[in-house]
């Protein structure tokens, strides 16, 4: 039985005052015990969020990490071991905004994934197709290639300590959501691809859906057999809305 995970990606949003308000809202939420909940604030607020959410059952992750696991001479980057040092337990790797806007390659995604695990962080590997790729009928090919980049380089066993997030690029921040059936098709394909190498790893790995998840559509998406929770952007900036999404993932 996979425990659902709802992860809030705050992206490059927030200020000291705004983050304090959001933390206060999160601390007041009645969160379901059968759902794992985590938030991914901007780097500069990580330590504060870890400190303030330490007493409630909300994990903290980072939105990215450097390709090298340990601290060193790499100006402007943050090492996975530094994230672990400040209390993070997870890190997003390969978010589409980084792949598409910042030119992050599949090779870098693999190195970041490995760096995260080397420092005992759980990587959340983000995969997903653009609208153009979907319209060309290439969704499963694109997502399959992004997943294979990690499986071929590091082996399927690494997914025993990782999470996958399927995020169609056309649904991120657009208000458009994949239908539960569209999302399920891709989630099932991801699980089948992993099952080709290890049935045990495939049945245990959590695959999140991301792309304009909100309280109004969460229960329907999370009700699909291969959707194990959500990676939530915009809606995670409102504690009440985020809490409702977390409750939709519970049973
Ligand atoms: C995201 O950035 O991971 C995301 C899913 O964003 P949104 O929920 O705003 O579409």
């Amino acid at each position: 039985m996979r425990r659902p995970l709802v992860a809030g990606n705050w992206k490059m949003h927030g200020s000291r005052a705004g983050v304090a308000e959001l933390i206060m809202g999160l601390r007041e939420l009645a969160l379901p015990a059968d759902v794992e909940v985590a938030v991914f604030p901007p780097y500069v607020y990580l330590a504060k969020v870890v400190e303030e959410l330490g007493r409630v059952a909300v994990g903290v992750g980072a939105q990215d990490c450097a390709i090298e696991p340990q601290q060193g001479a790499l100006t402007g980057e943050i090492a996975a071991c530094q994230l672990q040092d400040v209390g993070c337990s997870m890190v997003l790797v390969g978010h589409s905004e980084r792949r598409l806007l910042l030119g992050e390659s599949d090779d870098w995604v693999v190195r970041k994934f490995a760096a995260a695990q080397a420092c005992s962080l759980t990587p959340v590997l983000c995969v997903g197709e653009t609208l153009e790729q979907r319209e060309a009928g290439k969704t499963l090919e694109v997502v399959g290639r992004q997943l294979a980049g990690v499986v071929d380089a590091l082996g399927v066993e690494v997914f025993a300590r990782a999470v996958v997030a399927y995020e169609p690029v056309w649904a991120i921040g657009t208000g458009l959501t994949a239908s539960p059936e569209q999302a399920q098709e891709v989630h099932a394909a991801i699980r089948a691809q992993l099952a080709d190498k290890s049935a045990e790893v495939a049945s245990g790995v959590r695959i999140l859906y991301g792309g304009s998840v909100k309280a109004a559509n969460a229960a329907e998406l999370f009700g699909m057999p291969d959707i194990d929770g959500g990676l939530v952007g915009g809606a995670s900036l409102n504690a009440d809305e985020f809490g409702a999404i977390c409750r939709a993932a519970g049973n």
Side-chain angles (χ1 to χ4, degrees):
M1 190 62 191
R2 297 182 293 270
R3 186 177 183 213
L5 167 65
V6 178
N9 174 15
W10 295 359
K11 308 196 188 198
M12 198 172 65
H13 292 292
S15 59
R16 279 199 297 179
V19 166
E21 200 177 318
L22 194 43
I23 289 171
M24 219 165 12
L26 289 171
R27 290 172 71 156
E28 280 166 12
L29 291 176
L31 293 170
D34 57 344
V35 177
E36 184 178 353
V37 178
V39 294
F40 293 70
Y43 285 134
V44 288
Y45 304 118
L46 279 174
K48 163 109 182 138
V49 175
V50 167
E51 199 178 303
E52 300 275 330
L53 289 181
R55 286 177 297 281
V56 293
V58 177
V60 180
Q63 298 171 19
D64 187 35
C65 66
I67 55 173
E68 296 294 341
Q70 304 291 341
Q71 57 178 292
L74 201 47
T75 304
E77 290 294 282
I78 309 285
C81 286
Q82 293 174 311
L83 297 173
Q84 198 265 346
D85 184 46
V86 297
C88 289
S89 56
M90 297 186 183
V91 60
L92 303 182
V93 292
H95 191 281
S96 64
E97 284 155 10
R98 301 199 61 84
R99 290 181 192 261
L100 296 171
L101 303 176
L102 301 170
E104 196 161 290
S105 66
D106 286 345
D107 178 47
W108 276 36
V109 172
V110 169
R111 291 181 67 180
K112 290 178 177 195
F113 188 108
Q117 289 195 331
C119 300
S120 306
L121 298 179
T122 300
V124 179
L125 174 69
C126 304
V127 296
E129 83 287 2
T130 62
L131 183 59
E132 199 183 12
Q133 290 164 335
R134 174 162 282 269
E135 286 176 348
K138 294 196 166 147
T139 298
L140 298 185
E141 179 189 323
V142 170
V143 170
R145 194 172 56 232
Q146 290 168 338
L147 185 65
V150 177
V151 176
D152 294 348
L154 305 176
V156 73
E157 296 299 332
V158 297
F159 285 92
R161 294 180 292 123
V163 172
V164 180
Y166 167 56
E167 299 205 298
V169 177
W170 49 271
I172 296 181
T174 58
L176 298 173
T177 314
S179 69
E181 294 72 23
Q182 282 174 319
Q184 168 60 25
E185 182 194 16
V186 182
H187 282 233
I190 291 170
R191 205 176 298 286
Q193 187 173 339
L194 295 173
D196 271 350
K197 309 259 185 203
S198 166
E200 192 186 345
V201 169
S203 72
V205 71
R206 290 177 294 181
I207 308 174
L208 313 184
Y209 169 78
S212 298
V213 174
K214 37 190 184 287
N217 59 23
E220 228 192 334
L221 287 159
F222 299 164
M224 302 309 279
D226 287 295
I227 301 184
D228 307 310
L231 179 52
V232 184
S236 71
L237 298 171
N238 177 310
D240 290 336
E241 178 84 4
F242 186 61
I245 294 169
C246 295
R247 285 191 291 281
N251 283 308

